[in-house]
Amino acid sequence: GVCLLAFAQKPTPPGGARLHPPAARPPPPTPRRPQDGADGVAWIAPGQMAAVRGFKLPGGMLYIGSGPGLSKNGDEPALINPVLPMSAVAPDHDLPYWPSYGDIAPSHRWAYLTWLADGRQDASVPIGYVFLFMYGLERRVLVDMSENASLMSELPHIRSEMRRLLRIYGHQSGSFQSYASALLEVIDFRLAERDREDDLGSAPPPLAESTWSVPLSLRIGLGQLAASGTPVPAEWALAWGWFHPDIDLRTPATRCTDEFACLFAIRYAEKFGEGLVIRPGKSRIRHTYRPASASLPSIEIEPDGTRDVFEQKAAGRKLAALIDSVTDELDAYSRWIGRNPGSSRSLAASALLPAALLAEPGGDVSKLRDWAMRHLERADPAGAPGQALLALWSPDQPDKLSKGESVLLAQLLEHLGVGIEPDVRFGGASLTSADKAVLFRIKAEAPHTATSAYGAAMTLVHLAAAVGSADGQISRAEVKQLGDHVASSLRLTPAEITRLYAHLMWLSGVDIKLTGLKKRLDTLTKPQRRHIGDVLVTVAAADGIISADEVATLRKIFRLLDLDPETLASRLSPSRTTPDQAPAERPIIVRDVGAQEPGYPIPPRQVEERQPQPATPVVFRLDDTTLQRIESETAAVSLLLVDIFDEDQERFVPPRPVTPGDNGTSRVDNAPDCGSDRPIRGLDLPHTRLLRALAERDQWEAAAFEALATKHHVLPDGAIDTINELALDAVEEPVIEGDETLTINAYAMQELLK
């Protein structure tokens, strides 16, 4: 059993708790528990109906009667005295700050009883009426139940009523929210003390919007976990961090609380296993409760045998670091929800969630995953109809995704272990319902954006495919063969090679428009076209062998470039067109200079014929200097080719070639002059120049921004991510916002340019 000693000194039972006034306060008035009929005062039990002057009051939990009241020093403010006058007119002034039924005006009594008769749910009434009702609940919990423990069976009913009132009136009055929440803490504590076998550690207090005070049940629960040496469960650790005075909760935690709690539990288990084990503290838990009712003094609750561990420094730092990390992971998702209310379950929003939160079965994400896997079970890579994919993405079934939606779709598929072509992050076009997308499996470490080498490779392969479709004579095998050489010469990673072949498969299924291709190529100077031809030959010959099929493809490209195909012979002369032994790069030592040592005579030649031995395969390796030259030259050529395709294709623009400077550092050839060449900390020089150029306007149209990014030799989408990530780390706000029209955040821009 438990006894909360209120306002009188009685022995504290073993294992119980003491509830007493603070030493600094004057002695409280001596309370008197109402006895039905003794003083004409009755407590109406929860759920019972009462009648007062023609009003039927449902729900109970009221003090009704007349007489000296419940306290020797004055009436209970919540006591409804039926003999007091009432007036059925609208009140002509406000309730006093501490209302008492015996002191308020007759018109206020009429309004109060009307509110009670309507079920205590009219949200428009003055908050003083709600406080007046709450005063009676405080006395029942703090006074009556301290004198008679059997009354504690009413606690669940009182708790339920207080939570209902808090939902209705908590947002209307911060004062009521504070007092009601504090009373609920005491009720929860008394319930846990009554049912001690529940151990108080089974469920933490709910996460509240207001974190200015620490729930008593949280302090006690953590203290009990520490005393028993039990690891702190994830839900208790989250509540600990949530209410910790030294941990600031940012918007993602409060805006996306469900996702935040789920991700916190995942990361908490990854980092701490079963949970943090904390040591018992030295200080005792002391909790002060200040009643809303003026008739009750402040009291202190001191659970016996439980130590306070809430503000342990080491554990607090660990929780703060974990909460910051989880907040960062949810930041993009939170911003999306803030800009698009009601879209938290859309696929676009899911694309911004960490992959760990996408494992739950059911929902649109599972439908997309199952749809993709059915295609990949048949083949990898596999073609998939764009119309079906867009129907899954959006119920509106748009004919074409915007660039932003295309990025989100690719990102969501990536979380599911699936790559897609075309992918705007790698220079592809936005998907349309008429297209046939290509899906392929990817690993978690696959790149998210195109490198300069990949961008150059894709541009050259795209040119080869465009040339082939011009006369219908080039085969997919020829394009793939060129892709093999490009991948080898540019040292693409396995993940990039997988994506390049998926892109080749997509190219083979689309109609590459050549309208104006020859005309746009004619805008290139003769030296530029010769340079393109030279690089294509260099790439084709990168592995030391040029097949007849490759020569045929090169001849077609030369004709399109208005270069003489007959000059191929001279261009190819340093390269081998057959798989013979590679020529030696240095003199071969046949025999060391000097006198011959005596040896054995050479045996006579055998007459019988021997079977020809297979030639030893030649391993061809390019030295680093050659590879760097090929990559640099190919990147430069891709800049010349980037604008020759159809205007609707959103192409990747690789960086300008980087060459060693005189002092051993790197420089960018012919880079545009955008003010100071000193990079901003956290950005390379091209992104620094782009950022400074963006500061010239408050808004940029998407096309103008892409042109500016092209001018500075960076990928548009990648540049936005790079710059915004730096800004979010520095000032917790992005620099660039929007989709079709990009808005520049002046504050964030100013902070980065300091």
Side-chain angles (χ1 to χ4, degrees), residues 235-311:
E235 62 271 20
W236 278 89
L238 175 58
W240 187 358
W242 191 271
F243 290 99
H244 200 290
D246 295 334
I247 297 178
D248 294 327
L249 297 174
R250 291 185 277 149
T251 301
T254 55
R255 179 185 287 159
C256 318
T257 304
D258 291 343
E259 292 84 357
F260 185 88
C262 184
L263 186 60
F264 179 90
I266 293 172
R267 301 300 183 229
Y268 183 78
E270 291 173 352
K271 189 170 184 64
F272 302 111
E274 294 183 359
L276 283 168
V277 177
I278 50 178
R279 55 179 176 78
K282 295 182 179 179
S283 61
R284 304 175 69 91
I285 294 177
R286 296 177 66 89
H287 179 79
T288 300
Y289 176 75
R290 295 176 174 84
S293 174
S295 68
L296 301 175
S298 296
I299 56 177
E300 287 187 353
I301 300 173
E302 187 176 330
D304 288 348
T306 305
R307 304 291 178 174
D308 194 357
V309 300
F310 187 84
E311 296 183 18

Side-chain angles (χ1 to χ4, degrees), residues 404-486:
E405 288 179 313
S406 298
V407 171
L408 292 175
L409 172 59
Q411 187 169 311
L412 178 56
L413 288 170
E414 185 179 87
H415 288 332
L416 304 178
V418 179
I420 185 173
E421 280 293 328
D423 188 333
V424 298
R425 302 175 303 168
F426 291 83
S430 294
L431 186 66
T432 71
S433 59
D435 289 338
K436 192 166 188 177
V438 174
L439 307 177
F440 56 98
R441 297 180 190 271
I442 58 174
K443 297 181 179 179
E445 63 272 14
H448 311 297
T449 56
T451 62
S452 59
Y454 180 82
M458 194 179 72
T459 303
L460 292 171
V461 168
H462 198 103
L463 175 60
V467 171
S469 64
D471 58 14
Q473 295 179 5
I474 190 170
S475 67
R476 289 175 57 186
E478 288 178 291
V479 178
K480 182 180 183 302
Q481 193 169 31
L482 179 59
D484 291 339
H485 290 309
V486 168

